[in-house]
Amino acid sequence: MRSSPAAVTGTGTTGAGRRHGVMLRLVGAGVMLTVMADTTATTLAVGVLRYAPAGAGMPLGDLVWLTSAAFIPIAALLATAGRWADLFGRRRVLAVGLVVFVLGGIATVTVEPWSYVLAARAVQGAGAAAMIPASLGLLLGELPESQRRGAIALWSSASGLGCLLMQAGGGWLAATVGWRALFVPDVVIGVALLVACAWLPPGRRAGAKGVPDVLGAWLLAAGIAVVVLAISKAMAWGLDVVWLALAALALLGGALAQARHHRLPAIDLALWRRPRFVWGWLATWGFGALSYGLLTVQPLYLLHLGYPMLEVAMWLTPTSVAVVVTSFLAGKVVKRVGAYGLIYAGSLLCGGACVIVLTQAGPTVWGLVASVVVGMGVGALAPGTSVATTLAARPHQYASAVGAATMARMVGGAVGVAVVSVVIDHPFMTGPFAGLAGALALCVAISVLIGALALTKITRLRPDPGDVMIKVPRRLLLELRMTLATVAAEADALLPVETRTPPADPYKDPVPRPRTAEPGPLAGTRGHTH
């Protein structure tokens, strides 16, 4: 018999509660590990195809669609998938997403035409869009509040582990089997996670009844997809993207209009009325543009120098190790420095590392140090942005918040990858590494913007009344109130039955009222018991 969510959200002392807590963490971390490994596989595949006969005749702007084809449906469907996970059950949406993701991965490995490969990547993106918010929403909804920050840190650091494993083993797969083999591990892990879903609690539902806003969901998906398409093809299509921009505004406007009037909207507008969530969303958007831009530049830079794929993987591995270690440590110190303290530190580290690389003529010891510093910066930004956005939501909005925040990261990532590819192919700097240097300079500018946003939030804005630091003394007062009620009940048990007062309702009468002195058999005594 499956234990209820209360078994996990309570004290956590029961065996079933501990098992569910461990399984929740493993599956949640496994989802992010798989998604990030998949993303890393695409960046490695782009690099391999760029310098291989199979993709030598294709411009970089077309090759990066191997990444963008997955980013577009992820960005377009995340918010809607998160909303539906809150409404219909997070475990159910997670299982559906895993099935779609695995099928898309199988197609990516087997189909031949390039257009079919891109379509398969889009299917994988749709599956990932359901997996991401449902996994973290399930994790946070079933764990007690005291464990949620650690769960977010684990969930975020798992992405660094996925990147590390793919970079360490992906070089060997690409060099010995081919670029399609990079997507095989994702399929295997996806099947294992799908089996593990049977041991998860079903997850709470919002309890709303009615027909969801299907039209709003389609409008939102189409609008974000058109935005990403316009940004990705801005240089190739010229002024024609203006019409795409107008179409995107119309589609997004229609989705917002639906959300304002529908009973079960595809967009949870209540999130956007919380300033803490808006600031976190903006920081997450910048983090996506920075991290995925750097993830694209690193292998291209090394492959441009003529390094074989196995050596490229060795150079990239220290970055991923630094991401994993820093994400774990950041989860430990986030309570002390705050989410925006981590975001500020991460932006400084990433920007400084890019400046170091710009001063080097090629791979040196300083370049290796810079790659480690980049990993430290990304490792600080990942949990910082996750905490800043997710914990700004109410418990029944966790999956919606994760969906909207990760949508920001993926939209930013799509923008970062597209702009980096444009800058590399159309450099605005001079020198033998003009395009790559321009891309790194762009990453420095994004780091500065993220750091300025975090510093503004730290120094100028008032704390939100709903901040966790305000809730801590309230919890202590609640515990003190219950202790006083227990003492009053024990004292009442010492009195004769006819003189006892009814037990106080902790919700209607939270503070026990003093009893007036009455003569009785115990008057003047000190609590003789029978």
Side-chain angles (χ1 to χ4, degrees), residues 2-81:
R2 194 183 305 280
S3 63
S4 64
V8 182
T9 58
T11 60
T13 58
T14 64
R18 285 193 295 270
R19 286 194 298 272
H20 276 158
V22 171
M23 187 59 68
L24 284 166
R25 288 175 173 85
L26 288 176
V27 173
V31 167
M32 282 308 295
L33 183 149
T34 304
V35 172
M36 194 61 196
D38 178 75
T39 302
T40 307
T42 61
T43 58
L44 294 176
V46 167
V48 171
L49 289 170
R50 171 119 172 133
Y51 297 98
M58 299 176 65
L60 182 60
D62 291 342
L63 289 175
V64 297
W65 269 93
L66 195 64
T67 300
S68 299
F71 276 11
I72 289 174
I74 293 177
L77 299 174
L78 267 171
T80 302

Side-chain angles (χ1 to χ4, degrees), residues 447-473:
S447 300
V448 171
L449 291 176
I450 298 173
L453 186 148
L455 189 62
T456 301
K457 183 68 172 70
I458 293 171
T459 59
R460 294 188 179 181
L461 295 185
R462 297 178 180 178
D464 193 295
D467 202 343
V468 173
M469 295 305 292
I470 304 300
K471 296 179 182 178
V472 171

